[in-house]
Amino acid sequence: MRNKRIAFLGAFLALALICSYVESLIPFYFGIPGVKLGLANIVVVIMLYTAGAKEAVCISTLRILLSGFLFGNMFSILYSLAGGLLSFFVMYAVKRTKKFGIIPISVCGGISHNIGQLSVAVLVVENYRIYSYLPVLLFAGILTGFLIGVAAQEVIFRIHKTM
Amino acid sequence: MKKRFGKRDFILIAVLLAAAFVIWLLISRTKFAKGASAVVTVDGDVYGTYPLSQNQEIPIMKDEKRTNILVIKNGKADITEADCPDRLCVHQKPISMTNETIVCLPNKVVVSIEGSTESGIDSIAK
Ligand SMILES: [Zn+2]
């Protein structure tokens, strides 16, 4: 059982890394260098419902550090950590209310992911003006969060069926 | 787990969308106005303010090293050269509207557009 669990977590980490890699290839640009869509959030959403919160935050942090060393730099690690951790805690908090489904939780995650990244950018350049990117990032977070939520929900239902 | 997308889920997403829309409206009210000058900040400090009406080339120096080149041409500000590894600031489009920015994260350089003179004074004071 323990081994099975470790294999399971390893597979999640691999999946999350692939998401980061795919994301590093997409020439998606929000106006602020380094701001990412947050595709790897799909793994966090799935894990929240199948593996548990502790596991989700562990794999998410590991993924950020590894992908930062592999495909990014110091800044991308900072951004991703802020975005990843903030979105994890927001999703965890919303999930604990037990009032909402997977899709809106993922949307909350998408939004907070981008707010986290933007906050780091503001701190790094010490210029509040780049908050003017907030609306774009909010809409982008809602859209990616929604799509990730739809996809994650399908995966979660299938995992629950086989378990 | 039963329902895939309930009424409550719909309401939450609608509220978030509405909030994003309101923020967009609030911020865009100050945007979409032709700017008067380009303000360069390095490490959060104002490096210089340059009128958009005057074509010029401004090297941005940091620790005796030229980090970025700002070019003002035909009322638009653009970073045309940079020594940062990602060069994302160079790829950003020229800007000319108030509140638009070009960010060079590695060098901590931000170019932003200020509005007409009266608003320009109080925004520098902030
Ligand atoms: Zn740059």
Side-chain angles (χ1 to χ4, degrees), chain B residues 68 82 84 86 89 104:
Chain B
N68 304 69
C84 53
D86 53 25
C89 51
C104 177

Side-chain angles (χ1 to χ4, degrees), chain B residues 34-52:
Chain B
K34 200 98 186 115
S37 53
V39 179
V40 178
T41 65
V42 181
D43 292 329
D45 301 320
V46 175
Y47 181 89
T49 305
Y50 311 94
L52 288 178

Side-chain angles (χ1 to χ4, degrees), chain A:
Chain A
M1 189 54 217
R2 215 194 111 125
N3 284 343
K4 198 179 164 190
R5 188 163 187 79
I6 290 169
F8 203 51
L9 293 180
F12 273 133
L13 180 58
L15 185 62
L17 271 176
I18 291 169
C19 290
S20 296
Y21 177 62
V22 168
E23 200 166 59
S24 73
L25 296 179
I26 302 176
F28 206 79
Y29 193 55
F30 282 114
I32 304 178
V35 169
K36 294 274 165 58
L37 269 173
L39 294 181
N41 232 9
I42 190 169
V43 177
V44 180
V45 177
I46 294 171
M47 287 188 75
L48 262 178
Y49 282 89
T50 56
K54 233 188 290 156
E55 289 81 353
V57 77
C58 280
I59 294 296
S60 173
T61 310
L62 260 178
R63 190 273 306 173
I64 289 163
L65 294 178
L66 284 173
S67 68
F69 292 130
L70 287 170
F71 328 114
N73 50 46
M74 257 295 293
F75 285 114
S76 53
I77 292 178
L78 255 179
Y79 272 137
S80 306
L81 266 183
L85 290 179
L86 186 65
S87 88
F88 167 78
F89 285 115
V90 168
M91 289 196 291
Y92 182 61
V94 178
K95 182 174 179 285
R96 282 199 61 173
T97 65
K98 293 197 166 63
K99 287 198 168 70
F100 301 104
I102 299 168
I103 295 173
I105 285 175
S106 170
V107 168
C108 290
I111 292 175
S112 40
H113 176 262
N114 288 352
I115 291 176
Q117 293 186 99
L118 185 60
S119 306
V120 169
V122 169
L123 287 178
V124 168
V125 297
E126 298 171 49
N127 190 320
Y128 72 95
R129 223 161 256 280
I130 57 175
Y131 260 118
S132 59
Y133 290 106
L134 185 63
V136 186
L137 286 167
L138 288 179
F139 285 120
I142 292 173
L143 185 65
T144 43
F146 186 82
L147 296 176
I148 281 173
V150 171
Q153 181 163 254
E154 293 308 312
V155 175
I156 291 164
F157 274 90
R158 278 166 183 74
I159 290 179
H160 277 296
K161 249 182 228 162
T162 59
M163 280 206 306

Side-chain angles (χ1 to χ4, degrees), chain A residues 135 138-139 142, chain B residues 14-28:
Chain A
L138 288 179
F139 285 120
I142 292 173
Chain B
V15 166
L16 291 172
L17 260 176
F21 193 71
V22 168
I23 292 173
W24 176 67
L25 278 182
L26 288 177
I27 288 185
S28 65

Side-chain angles (χ1 to χ4, degrees), chain A residues 33, chain B residues 67-68 79 81-90 92 102-109:
Chain B
T67 56
N68 304 69
I79 289 184
E81 260 175 71
D83 67 347
C84 53
D86 53 25
R87 291 177 49 82
L88 284 168
C89 51
V90 179
Q92 291 180 63
I102 295 179
V103 181
C104 177
L105 211 55
N107 292 336
K108 298 193 185 183
V109 169

